[in-house]
Amino acid sequence: MKKTIAVDMDNVIVDIEANWINWYANAFGIRVTKEAMYGIPEDQAFPDPLAARSLLYKPGFFRYAPVVPGAQEAIIKLQENYDIYIVSAAMEFPNSLPEKYDWLAEHFPSITWKNIIFCGDKSVINTDYLIDDHFKNLDFHKGRPILFTAGHNRGIDRHTRVNNWEEVLTLMQQLEEPHQIT
């Protein structure tokens, strides 16, 4: 029986930061940098946080976001030795659930509907590992939490941190030597 890895979407396999920056620039003519998001909640990096947050309710926001570099290749590699589940708290924003499903179908066709979990509270997830960018999910995970670096979580030293998908593969190899990921 394979071990299980739950993988968050936003800021882990989906570059929501870059998407939000682009949508804000297109809507309001002001471009912020990813560095402006360091160490603060994402919406606080924008001159008008309420206007920025309103973009999350716009059709297409979640559907057309870019893929985090290396995520597609790493997920395929991890599937050789692990059961991978995509887990997203997709319930808060009305368009999020169908758009995220369509996004996954396009960018991660190797993830079947049986391995997609859309929920409101990730504390119910019981996998061996959880790769996520939010402490609210990692702090209560029953398995091993792995923090994926995003602007808002920089400078906080809780949980094992990875900065990119290459580091995820290296970490998993170190944690599971008998499974040899190359």
Side-chain angles (χ1 to χ4, degrees), residues 141-152:
H141 185 65
K142 296 164 188 77
R144 181 167 185 147
I146 299 170
L147 176 65
F148 201 94
T149 296
H152 66 87

Side-chain angles (χ1 to χ4, degrees), residues 11-178:
N11 293 323
V12 178
I13 62 172
V14 182
D15 194 343
I16 285 298
E17 290 176 349
N19 196 51
W20 211 345
I21 289 167
N22 289 335
W23 275 64
Y24 194 87
N26 290 338
F28 305 107
I30 301 168
R31 179 167 296 279
V32 300
T33 64
K34 277 195 171 192
E35 292 76 20
M37 296 180 165
Y38 287 5
I40 60 173
E42 295 101 319
D43 58 350
Q44 297 301 306
F46 297 96
D48 184 342
L50 288 176
R53 192 156 180 80
S54 75
L55 297 172
L56 302 174
Y57 294 89
K58 302 282 185 192
F61 181 85
F62 293 99
R63 176 63 182 94
Y64 300 107
V67 178
V68 168
Q72 291 165 309
E73 300 82 3
I75 293 294
I76 289 169
K77 191 70 178 163
L78 288 169
Q79 285 178 306
E80 294 172 8
N81 296 304
Y82 299 92
D83 285 327
I84 304 297
Y85 294 88
I86 303 300
V87 179
S88 184
M91 307 310 290
E92 184 177 357
F93 307 104
N95 298 319
S96 174
L97 193 142
E99 289 187 8
K100 285 184 175 190
Y101 183 83
D102 291 343
W103 187 94
L104 281 169
E106 177 183 348
H107 299 288
F108 289 84
S110 67
I111 302 291
T112 69
W113 63 271
K114 292 180 181 182
N115 290 63
I116 299 171
I117 302 167
F118 292 139
C119 58
D121 180 357
K122 293 184 190 176
S123 68
V124 299
I125 303 304
N126 187 19
T127 52
D128 294 300
Y129 303 96
L130 171 61
I131 303 170
D132 204 302
D133 65 309
H134 276 286
F135 297 110
K136 67 183 178 188
N137 302 317
L138 296 169
D139 288 346
F140 302 101
H141 185 65
K142 296 164 188 77
R144 181 167 185 147
I146 299 170
L147 176 65
F148 201 94
T149 296
H152 66 87
N153 68 35
R154 290 181 184 265
I156 300 172
D157 293 327
R158 286 202 320 260
H159 306 301
T160 302
R161 180 184 290 274
V162 291
N163 296 301
N164 55 53
W165 279 98
E166 185 177 319
E167 289 184 17
V168 170
L169 292 175
T170 300
L171 176 64
M172 296 313 297
Q173 183 174 0
Q174 292 168 351
L175 294 173
E176 302 285 336
E177 282 300 328

